[in-house]
Amino acid sequence: MVLLRRSPGAKFLLLFALIPMLILSACGGGSSSGSTGGTTPGPTKVPITVGSKLDPEAQLLGEMYVLLLQKAGYTVTPKLALGMTPTVFAALKSGAIDLYPEFTATGLNLLSAKSSFNPTQDYQTVKSGFEQQYHITWLDMAPLNDGYALCTSQATSQKLGVTTLSQLAPKVPQLTLATQSDGVTFFDNLETIYGFKTASFKSVKKVDYSIGFTAVKNGQADVTECYTTDGSVTTQGFIFLNDDKHGFTEFHPAPIVRDSILQSDPGIANALNPLAPDLTTDVSIALQAQVTMKKASGTSVSEAVKEVATSFLQSKGLL
């Protein structure tokens, strides 16, 4: 020990012996758990929080995003069924969540922009508008069209003698509408074509989506907001009032992501975009029907959504 402390030559030899160890340390060490020989670990993926709205379709889309991101190696925190559009969009802007599934026509509404009634043009409008106003990116749009509609029970339809929006129009001042806050703008846009808007109804009940159907069944409302991909409309004994003059805008879903999170890891887009072509209107109806069946057999909503989403992604070779 005296020699090592006092001899310059010994110090040099000791330093020379340490160099290989320092090199190994800088390269990540020799052998660590899960590493393969000679490879350098890739960059750490950013943690991601995924949100969704309340309805089953939104939860299915959100769950698919969660599963695809997890497969790609991301640590994901799901916050599905977080709330309606104002709540979820505010969460995205504040950073409480990083992405969620949104629809093009809802995006137009958030931008206070009118629809061109051309789905591709509407997508480009929201894509550029969200980037400029909110620094939020729209990833690839799916062909699925889940638009708004007005529905009523078969019994109410027969009582009122209406099966189309044109037939409904003159009766609106005597009727009660049940709707989420999301739908108000789109029903207001019907005024140009059908001559009525939300305020034209005798009264309006702002309720969660599923409660609107209950309100009509209980006689507390006459018509309710519904989605064109909702397979439960017919199973509940309801009908879609035909949009005979094409007054509703098309709704196509896409993941929307805060720029800050996407710029920190562009791989998020690579993980999610391959899903878009497989999401059609018929697929959405079928998947929601599967969730309904599982719920009827006693499975919780969240578990039913996860099981159906997982099975679908596996069937498409995405998981």
Side-chain angles (χ1 to χ4, degrees):
M1 295 298 290
V2 173
L3 180 63
L4 286 175
R5 270 192 248 118
R6 295 182 181 177
S7 169
K11 289 180 181 179
F12 177 81
L13 290 173
L14 179 59
L15 178 61
F16 185 80
L18 288 172
I19 289 174
M21 296 172 65
L22 293 170
I23 293 173
L24 282 173
S25 176
C27 293
S31 61
S32 60
S33 176
S35 67
T36 56
T39 62
T40 301
T44 302
K45 293 181 181 293
V46 297
I48 302 171
T49 301
V50 176
S52 86
K53 300 180 195 179
L54 297 170
D55 60 279
E57 182 180 58
Q59 292 184 58
L60 280 165
L61 293 172
E63 185 65 49
M64 290 182 200
Y65 298 171
V66 170
L67 293 169
L68 290 172
L69 290 166
Q70 287 175 336
K71 183 198 173 189
Y74 293 91
T75 299
V76 184
T77 301
K79 288 189 178 180
L80 307 184
L82 187 59
M84 293 189 288
T85 299
T87 300
V88 184
F89 188 53
L92 181 65
K93 291 189 294 182
S94 72
I97 62 173
D98 299 310
L99 63 91
Y100 78 93
E102 188 53 277
F103 289 80
T104 50
T106 305
L108 290 172
N109 184 29
L110 292 169
L111 292 170
S112 299
K114 296 291 186 182
S115 173
S116 66
F117 293 92
N118 178 314
T120 302
Q121 188 172 330
D122 283 353
Y123 172 71
Q124 292 302 326
T125 298
V126 296
K127 189 175 179 67
S128 61
F130 269 61
E131 180 59 46
Q132 292 170 10
Q133 290 194 34
Y134 305 118
H135 304 294
I136 290 171
T137 296
W138 284 68
L139 299 184
D140 287 358
M141 175 182 75
L144 186 169
N145 175 29
D146 184 2
Y148 279 94
L150 286 171
C151 293
T152 190
S153 65
Q154 291 178 0
T156 303
S157 169
Q158 292 171 3
K159 181 178 73 174
L160 296 175
V162 300
T163 57
T164 70
L165 294 185
S166 291
Q167 293 170 341
L168 179 73
K171 301 178 185 293
V172 162
Q174 287 79 47
L175 304 177
T176 297
L177 169 68
T179 181
Q180 299 181 102
S181 59
D182 300 29
V184 170
T185 299
F186 301 102
F187 298 141
D188 285 347
N189 290 341
L190 296 175
E191 185 176 21
T192 302
I193 296 174
Y194 292 107
F196 70 86
K197 57 184 179 180
T198 309
S200 303
F201 285 86
K202 180 178 69 175
S203 63
V204 177
K205 292 183 176 294
K206 292 186 179 179
V207 296
D208 287 346
Y209 184 80
S210 61
I211 296 175
F213 291 89
T214 304
V216 174
K217 290 176 183 177
N218 294 341
Q220 297 173 332
D222 300 293
V223 292
T224 186
E225 166 197 1
C226 53
Y227 301 141
T228 55
T229 58
D230 185 356
S232 75
V233 169
T234 54
T235 60
Q236 293 186 75
F238 278 64
I239 67 164
F240 292 98
L241 295 175
N242 182 31
D243 180 13
D244 51 311
K245 294 182 180 178
H246 307 289
F248 281 113
T249 307
E250 290 191 14
F251 284 68
H252 298 276
I256 64 172
V257 193
R258 281 185 298 108
D259 284 358
S260 58
I261 197 79
L262 189 60
Q263 289 166 359
S264 65
D265 196 333
I268 295 169
N270 296 331
L272 297 179
N273 280 337
L275 173 63
D278 291 321
L279 293 175
T280 66
T281 303
D282 288 342
V283 162
S284 180
I285 292 172
L287 296 183
Q288 290 182 72
Q290 291 175 35
V291 170
T292 300
M293 290 176 61
K294 286 181 178 292
K295 284 166 53 183
S297 66
T299 306
S300 68
V301 175
S302 60
E303 188 58 33
V305 164
K306 186 172 185 176
E307 290 175 4
V308 171
T310 300
S311 178
F312 173 72
L313 294 177
Q314 289 173 339
S315 73
K316 295 298 180 180
L318 296 173
L319 276 188

